[in-house]
């Protein structure tokens, strides 16, 4: 792929980030499973374990992104997004045909495969925008990951509002929207998701704060809107106005490139008053000579080219070291650029994967069964519970990026320390679930949502810092496989079996009471306890890496060595 040279502080990266917000909302379509799982169960006559296994299919499709990870290094982002568009259309199209009873008698295995294909669109969407934007903003990878993962987390609330208002709480209409609406959105925006090499932007921090603030306001508004829809009957006109405000919030990141365009236009108008015509002539011919303040920093230059041939660094090594360089070549150290096979054999790679698997696998078990958990605890309507989890999930994802970025730059504290803290809190949340004390359901769900968001978002920059961005796509997607593996073991086998066993004791297909999930919660508490111990061990191991990378107060590559 040719290297793109752009003027430092240019607008395309911010345009791409604004477009990525919409694609990330689209990439959260798998979070809709609790909204239509009850309809699947009633219309198609499935039991809870069958629904749980379909939930596992949903998690497998969402998280198995090895192919997107490979593709993002071989093809442009629009091509990766296009595959996701077709997967979304085909997968959800089949499920809609079954739920709407347009086609009757579809085998269970066909629906299982269709759900894998449908939710796998998330892997293609998410990989394309995450890898592209982290490469476009390499010096702010934690912040960018937090923002993008945060919008995926809040997507469930966006869909819940759509489901409650425009789609009239119809699972059939929701699935039709996922079949047609999501592909149209991604097709419209794929042109703007493209790689570029920006230099330092002195106002970048302000822009990130603006984007974070807009997303927080959106999350609060969505939670409020969900409560209003659940408690007050609104006319169609009022519902549409309230929904339009959601779209205005989603468009707000586009204000950054618009503001940059207007500021640049004003600056160009004032330039003749400040300098000579000779300066202007130089500016037209060579912008880097005309204004040295716009030249990329050394850090940006070190990180600049992620699009060269993967053998470029090897060739430089051959030229530098000499004819015997191949024999002298060493494996990369942590913090340098790893190929997947090199990272795969590292102990830290597997420690990070196991910690992520234990934390996210426990969280996704609750997410997949949240509607049934609410019913078991006596709730008639679980919409607010789902929205609460979504809001807290978003807060965890966004907050983890900002919090870990601050402490990693000021104290060189590894991001995995916050994974340890959230795993300990998850132990507390699961114990509260198991005790089933009055008034603790919402507290436990809120705690678990925040911690789940932290776990999901912290893995992203941690993997990139330990193993580099050059092959980040495949490394990141391999890490994500901890999600479906955890869902299969903890949700499909453990939670589904315990629930059906308790329901059989009650002589019904629907289980009521705290015993439906008590054993599951206690096991998950123990799993999170184990994860916290392993996370402490990982944090101790990688502390020297973070001291090397952030010793100057900002990210820097380690000194190149002969490898």
């Amino acid at each position: 792929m040719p290297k793109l040279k752009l003027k430092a502080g240019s607008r395309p990266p911010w345009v791409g980030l604004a477009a990525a917000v919409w694609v990330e909302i689209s990439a959260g379509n798998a979070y809709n499973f609790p909204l239509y799982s009850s309809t699947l169960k009633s219309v198609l006559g499935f039991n809870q374990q069958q629904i749980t296994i379909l939930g596992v299919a949903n998690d497998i499709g969402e998280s198995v992104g090895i192919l997107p990870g490979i593709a993002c290094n071989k093809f442009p982002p629009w091509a990766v997004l296009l595959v996701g568009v077709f997967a979304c259309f085909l997968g959800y199209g089949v499920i809609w045909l079954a739920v709407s009873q347009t086609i009757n008698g579809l085998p269970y295995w066909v629906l299982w495969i269709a759900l894998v294909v449908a939710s796998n669109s998330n892997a293609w969407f998410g990989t394309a925008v995450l890898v592209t934007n982290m490469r476009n903003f390499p010096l702010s990878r934690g912040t960018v990951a937090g923002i993008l993962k945060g919008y995926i987390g809040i997507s469930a609330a966006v869909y819940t509002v759509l489901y409650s208002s425009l789609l009239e709480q119809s699972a059939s209409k929701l699935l039709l929207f996922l079949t047609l609406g999501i592909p149209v959105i991604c097709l419209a925006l794929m042109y703007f998701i493209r790689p570029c090499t920006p230099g330092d932007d002195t106002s970048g921090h302000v822009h990130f704060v603006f984007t974070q603030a807009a997303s927080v306001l959106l999350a609060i508004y969505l939670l409020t809107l969900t409560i209003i829809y659940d408690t007050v009957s609104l006319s169609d006109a009022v519902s549409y106005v309230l929904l339009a405000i959601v779209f205005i919030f989603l468009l707000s990141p586009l204000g950054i490139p618009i503001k940059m365009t207007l500021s640049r236009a004003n600056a160009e108008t004032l330039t003749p008053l400040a300098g000579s015509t000779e300066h202007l002539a130089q500016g037209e011919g060579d912008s880097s000579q005309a204004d040295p303040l716009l030249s990329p920093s050394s850090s940006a230059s070190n990180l600049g080219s992620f699009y060269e041939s993967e053998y470029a660094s090897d060739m430089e090594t051959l030229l530098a070291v000499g004819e015997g360089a191949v024999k002298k070549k060493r494996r990369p150290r942590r913090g340098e650029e790893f190929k997947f096979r090199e990272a795969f054999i590292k102990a830290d790679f597997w420690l990070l994967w196991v910690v992520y698997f234990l934390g996210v696998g426990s969280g996704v078990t609750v997410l997949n069964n949240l509607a049934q958990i609410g019913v078991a605890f006596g709730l008639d309507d679980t919409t607010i519970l789902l929205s609460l989890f979504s809001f807290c999930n978003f807060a965890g994802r966004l907050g983890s990026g900002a919090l870990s970025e601050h402490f990693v730059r000021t104290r060189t504290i590894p991001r995995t320390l916050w994974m340890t803290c959230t795993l300990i809190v998850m132990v507390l949340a699961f114990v509260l679930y198991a005790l089933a004390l009055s008034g603790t359901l919402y507290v436990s769900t809120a705690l678990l949502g925040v911690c789940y968001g932290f776990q999901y978002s912290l893995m992203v920059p941690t993997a990139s810092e330990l193993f580099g961005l050059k092959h980040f796509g495949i490394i990141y997607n391999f890490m994500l496989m901890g999600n479906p593996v955890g869902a299969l073991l903890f949700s499909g086998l453990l939670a589904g079996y315990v629930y059906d066993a308790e329901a059989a004791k009650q002589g019904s297909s629907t289980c009521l009471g705290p015993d439906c999930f008590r054993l599951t919660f206690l096991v998950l508490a123990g799993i999170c306890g184990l994860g916290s111990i392993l996370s402490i061990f990982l944090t101790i191991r990688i502390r020297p890496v973070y001291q090397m990378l952030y010793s100057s107060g900002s990210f820097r590559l380690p000194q190149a060595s002969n490898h």
Side-chain angles (χ1 to χ4, degrees):
M1 182 181 294
K3 182 179 178 181
L4 301 176
K5 294 183 179 180
L6 296 175
K7 196 174 183 180
S10 58
R11 287 152 291 174
W14 294 100
V15 174
L17 186 63
V21 165
W22 285 77
V23 177
E24 289 287 50
I25 293 292
S26 302
N29 61 69
Y31 288 121
N32 287 296
F33 183 74
L35 294 177
Y36 62 83
S37 61
S38 297
T39 304
L40 281 174
K41 185 175 182 179
S42 60
V43 172
L44 303 179
F46 295 150
N47 61 36
Q48 182 59 32
Q49 190 159 22
Q50 286 176 307
I51 291 296
T52 304
I53 295 298
L54 286 177
V56 172
N58 188 66
D59 295 320
I60 290 175
E62 178 187 14
S63 304
V64 176
I66 299 299
L67 289 179
I70 296 173
C72 71
N73 273 3
K74 304 292 184 181
F75 303 101
W78 67 262
V80 180
L81 288 170
L82 192 60
V83 177
V85 165
F86 282 111
C88 188
F89 174 76
L90 293 175
Y92 283 117
V94 171
I95 300 170
W96 174 77
L97 290 173
V99 170
S100 65
Q101 296 183 309
T102 304
I103 297 179
N104 293 315
L106 283 176
Y108 180 82
W109 64 268
V110 171
L111 294 175
W112 194 91
I113 293 175
L115 196 51
V116 170
V117 172
S119 58
N120 190 240
S121 65
N122 296 354
W124 295 90
F125 294 151
T127 299
V129 297
L130 181 65
V131 173
T132 302
N133 279 279
M134 286 189 68
R135 288 172 174 175
N136 288 348
F137 297 97
L139 304 182
S140 303
R141 59 187 70 184
T143 304
V144 170
I147 290 171
L148 294 180
K149 286 297 180 183
Y151 272 103
I152 289 186
I154 205 175
S155 64
V158 174
Y159 288 118
T160 301
V161 168
L162 278 173
Y163 176 75
S164 300
S165 57
L166 190 64
L167 303 177
E168 301 173 343
Q169 295 193 350
S170 168
S172 178
K173 290 181 179 179
L174 173 64
L175 289 166
L176 184 60
F177 173 78
L178 297 178
T179 303
L180 301 178
I182 298 302
V184 169
I185 291 172
C186 293
L187 284 172
L189 295 173
M190 64 170 54
Y191 170 77
F192 302 102
I193 310 296
R194 49 181 176 168
C196 41
T197 54
D200 290 337
D201 183 1
T202 55
S203 60
H205 175 69
V206 175
H207 293 159
F208 283 129
V209 170
F210 172 79
T211 306
Q212 291 168 329
S215 63
V216 170
L217 291 175
L218 172 61
I220 295 172
Y221 178 73
L222 286 169
L223 184 61
T224 305
L225 206 56
T226 302
I227 296 173
I228 291 174
Y229 281 135
D230 194 61
T231 56
V232 180
S233 179
L234 302 174
S235 66
D236 290 343
V238 174
S239 296
Y240 295 153
V241 170
L242 295 176
L243 192 59
I245 297 175
V246 174
F247 291 111
I248 292 173
F249 274 118
L250 290 174
L251 286 171
S252 58
L254 192 59
I256 295 172
I258 292 174
K259 173 249 183 184
M260 295 176 74
T261 300
L262 296 176
S263 299
R264 185 161 300 177
N266 292 335
E268 289 174 355
T269 302
L270 295 173
T271 299
L273 300 175
S276 67
T277 55
E278 180 181 359
H279 173 82
L280 290 176
Q282 289 178 344
E284 292 176 359
D286 186 354
S287 61
S288 64
Q289 293 179 4
D291 191 352
L293 293 176
L294 293 178
S295 60
S297 68
S298 59
S299 297
S301 300
N302 287 336
L303 289 162
S305 178
F306 296 107
Y307 311 109
E308 300 287 352
S309 165
E310 64 179 271
Y311 300 107
S313 60
D314 292 348
M315 292 303 297
E316 292 174 1
T317 303
L318 288 171
L319 292 174
V321 180
E323 187 176 2
V326 172
K327 295 181 180 178
K328 296 178 182 178
K329 180 180 176 181
R330 65 164 177 80
R331 292 175 179 172
R333 296 193 178 100
R334 295 172 302 177
E336 298 175 346
E337 297 292 342
F338 279 73
K339 296 178 181 178
F340 176 70
R341 63 177 177 270
E342 293 170 332
F344 190 78
I345 60 175
K346 288 290 184 179
D348 292 332
F349 179 91
W350 286 105
L351 269 174
L352 180 60
W353 189 92
V354 171
V355 169
Y356 176 77
F357 151 70
L358 295 176
V360 174
S362 301
V364 80
T365 300
V366 172
L367 178 60
N368 285 351
N369 295 277
L370 196 55
Q372 287 73 31
I373 291 172
V375 172
F377 276 74
L379 296 182
D380 295 325
D381 187 354
T382 60
T383 303
I384 294 179
L385 194 65
L386 292 170
S387 294
L388 177 64
F389 185 93
S390 175
F391 175 80
C392 293
N393 181 22
F394 155 78
R397 293 183 185 216
L398 185 67
S400 66
L403 184 68
S404 67
E405 193 76 15
H406 171 74
F407 281 97
V408 80
R409 289 175 182 271
T410 58
R411 304 287 182 85
T412 66
I413 294 177
R415 301 182 198 271
T416 49
L417 176 67
W418 305 107
M419 298 179 79
T420 305
C421 295
T422 52
L423 281 165
I424 294 172
V425 175
M426 288 176 76
V427 173
L428 173 63
F430 283 123
V431 170
L432 287 176
Y433 270 128
L435 293 176
L437 300 175
S438 177
T440 59
L441 176 61
Y442 289 101
V443 174
S444 304
T445 302
L447 287 175
L448 197 68
V450 170
C451 295
Y452 179 74
F454 260 78
Q455 294 290 325
Y456 207 98
S457 189
L458 286 172
M459 177 274 292
V460 179
T462 302
S464 73
E465 287 159 341
L466 292 179
F467 308 112
L469 281 172
K470 192 171 183 180
H471 299 276
F472 172 70
I474 187 170
I475 292 172
Y476 157 72
N477 277 291
F478 187 87
M479 289 287 173
L480 281 186
M481 290 181 66
N483 191 319
V485 173
L488 176 62
L489 295 178
F490 307 146
S491 180
L493 298 182
L494 175 63
Y497 174 79
V498 171
Y499 182 95
D500 283 339
E502 290 296 329
K505 292 179 182 178
Q506 298 178 9
S508 172
S509 61
T510 301
C511 183
L512 299 175
D515 289 336
C516 300
F517 291 97
R518 176 170 283 143
L519 178 60
T520 301
F521 292 144
L522 292 175
V523 172
L524 293 179
I527 287 170
C528 289
L530 173 62
S532 64
I533 295 172
L534 295 177
S535 183
I536 292 172
F537 182 52
L538 175 62
T539 301
I540 294 172
R541 282 180 55 90
I542 65 177
R543 179 69 192 274
V545 181
Y546 278 83
Q547 291 174 333
M548 174 187 66
L549 293 176
Y550 288 96
S551 59
S552 62
S554 62
F555 181 84
R556 67 179 180 87
L557 286 177
Q559 293 294 323
S561 54
N562 298 332
H563 78 283

